[in-house]
Amino acid sequence: MAQKIVSVVGARPQFVKAAVVSEQLRAAGLPEVMIHTGQHYDANMSDVFFAALGIPEPRYNLGIGGGRHGEMTGRQLAEIERCLLEERPDAVVVYGDTNSTLAGALAAVKLHIPVAHVEAGLRSFNNRMPEEINRIVTDRVSAVLFTPSQVASANLRAEGIAESRIVEVGDVMYDAALRYGGTARPPGPASGGCVVTIHRAENTDDATRLGVIVAALIELSRLMRVTFPVHPRTRKALTEAGEWGRLAAHVELTEPLGYIEMLAAVRAADVIVTDSGGLQKEAYFLETPCVTLRGETEWVETVALGWNRLVTELNVPDIVAAVSGARPPATDDARPYGDGHAAAKIAQFLRATI
Ligand code: UD1
């Protein structure tokens, strides 16, 4: 029976996942020590999440954000190892697919501490994404793979991962959306227009793709209100490309939103445009159609159920057509991401089995 867990977080989506799991660890009476790598460090990318979601203060805050991928991951690895040597936990919990996830998993497994990966088994099958490398390596070295869906479990089986390591619990982001967003849409037509988030390297660091996105958003702003909370990476890219002013003249550009504010914005919106993984699902949970500006998605269920549409070949007419034509499909009772109790199942499993 586990006596102590260390969890590693660092980037915005991990704070949300950790909030619901952390609460259940407390309910299960399993002590948790949290390490924050510092990957996200702006107040509106980190502190506001801890405050709004009531996440306990991390014991360690490593302050390692920015820099190239190898540098960031390597520095985090060295520092997390030091913390783990001090804490000697029974297991380390890592979340999702960021550089902090990979650093936490590697540090633990090299010290022979079992790793539990929350949100295991997702695949985009695109190895040019840093997140895909982080997922594959983390899943390979983890002792317990908590998967969010049947598709994720099947991905692991297809890679030859033993059944005994796969624990399908559902999606902790679904737990969080139920807890903090509610699911029932307000009656009547939504009036929030289009809410946009873009932050993936493949879109921000490619001048052609970024230019197409800017042109499409300007075009869309003639048809509907467009609101765009801007991630720091995207702000930098737009500024360097000289696009910030042109976009700001048509689109409401804001600071990144807190989690609960974001859920409210998604809920009120007519359509979401994004390249985020989490937002594709939040749109689905809150019954707002979504258009995803990526060549592929890990969350294939949202597409199959008709809530999400990919624009794979990025161009202005296709984006505008997809967004202006986005409509909710007929609702069904498919529940591909579990029953809203994923976090409790994770806590109980860790308590009883590790
Ligand atoms: C990271 C994750 C991505 C996740 C996203 C959520 C990796 C490889 N990617 O991407 O999977 O979807 O978080 O937001 O881990 N920056 C700031 N202030 C901050 C945070 C970042 O200025 O608070 C800057 C960084 O210095 C860097 C850039 O934004 O220049 C990108 O940050 P980084 O953490 O490398 O990756 P994300 O794009 O946020």
Side-chain angles (χ1 to χ4, degrees):
M1 226 169 79
Q3 305 296 326
K4 188 205 240 181
I5 297 288
V6 162
S7 53
V8 179
V9 297
R12 190 166 57 171
Q14 293 168 328
F15 308 143
V16 179
K17 294 164 195 166
V20 287
V21 173
S22 194
E23 184 178 26
Q24 293 299 328
L25 289 173
R26 286 195 295 282
L30 182 51
E32 177 194 21
V33 170
M34 194 175 275
I35 300 174
H36 186 334
T37 63
Q39 178 167 345
H40 285 175
Y41 46 85
D42 287 354
N44 60 14
M45 297 288 285
S46 178
D47 301 357
V48 296
F49 287 79
F50 278 78
L53 302 177
I55 310 170
E57 182 81 6
R59 183 168 299 170
Y60 300 89
N61 205 321
L62 307 180
I64 306 170
R68 298 179 60 83
H69 284 277
E71 181 194 356
M72 186 202 293
T73 313
R75 289 175 58 213
Q76 291 176 352
L77 171 62
E79 286 302 305
I80 294 169
E81 179 178 69
R82 201 178 50 76
C83 303
L84 294 180
L85 285 169
E86 215 160 289
E87 296 292 339
R88 297 268 165 206
D90 298 303
V92 169
V93 180
V94 296
Y95 297 91
D97 56 14
T98 73
N99 293 338
S100 302
T101 313
L102 177 62
L106 286 179
V109 76
K110 280 175 172 288
L111 293 171
H112 308 148
I113 302 168
V115 179
H117 184 201
V118 175
E119 204 180 76
L122 293 182
R123 296 291 182 269
S124 65
F125 303 101
N126 173 2
N127 277 352
R128 292 183 57 83
M129 282 178 75
E131 292 82 5
E132 182 75 352
I133 308 299
N134 295 342
R135 292 177 194 127
I136 292 170
V137 179
T138 302
D139 284 343
R140 190 72 185 79
V141 301
S142 293
V144 185
L145 299 161
F146 291 119
T147 60
S149 64
Q150 290 178 4
V151 170
S153 302
N155 286 338
L156 294 175
R157 286 183 199 114
E159 290 177 15
I161 289 184
E163 197 64 40
S164 57
R165 287 165 60 200
I166 304 171
V167 185
E168 194 173 301
V169 289
D171 184 6
V172 291
M173 293 290 277
Y174 183 42
D175 296 20
L178 287 176
R179 169 82 194 271
Y180 296 103
T183 46
R185 258 187 103 72
S191 55
C194 173
V195 173
V196 181
T197 78
I198 295 293
H199 75 275
R200 294 265 168 212
E202 70 202 63
N203 286 329
T204 59
D205 299 1
D206 178 324
T208 312
R209 288 180 72 90
L210 192 64
V212 169
I213 292 169
V214 168
L217 296 181
I218 291 173
E219 199 65 34
L220 281 169
S221 72
R222 301 184 213 286
L223 305 173
M224 61 182 90
R225 179 174 160 218
V226 181
T227 317
F228 184 176
V230 189
H231 184 289
R233 170 206 284 283
T234 315
R235 175 180 288 267
K236 195 162 156 241
L238 286 168
T239 307
E240 282 173 7
E243 298 277 27
W244 182 269
R246 190 161 80 99
L247 194 58
H250 297 86
V251 167
E252 205 176 311
L253 302 176
T254 74
E255 290 294 314
L257 298 180
Y259 176 62
I260 293 164
E261 292 73 24
M262 193 64 189
L263 289 183
V266 170
R267 201 156 171 252
D270 297 299
V271 54
I272 303 299
V273 174
T274 193
D275 60 7
S276 148
L279 214 62
Q280 294 172 46
K281 269 179 311 158
E282 279 152 6
Y284 164 67
F285 297 148
L286 300 169
E287 300 183 359
T288 301
C290 181
V291 173
T292 298
L293 305 187
R294 283 181 51 196
E296 68 283 310
T297 180
E298 301 78 22
W299 303 105
V300 289
E301 301 87 351
T302 60
V303 176
L305 293 170
W307 286 96
N308 187 11
R309 197 160 145 200
L310 299 182
V311 179
T312 48
E313 301 292 332
L314 215 58
N315 65 80
V316 175
D318 280 5
I319 298 173
V320 173
V323 177
S324 55
R327 299 283 178 275
T331 44
D332 55 50
D333 55 8
R335 289 281 175 273
Y337 300 118
D339 60 4
H341 298 289
K345 290 175 193 165
I346 289 169
Q348 281 150 20
F349 185 95
L350 292 173
R351 180 84 178 133
T353 318
I354 292 276

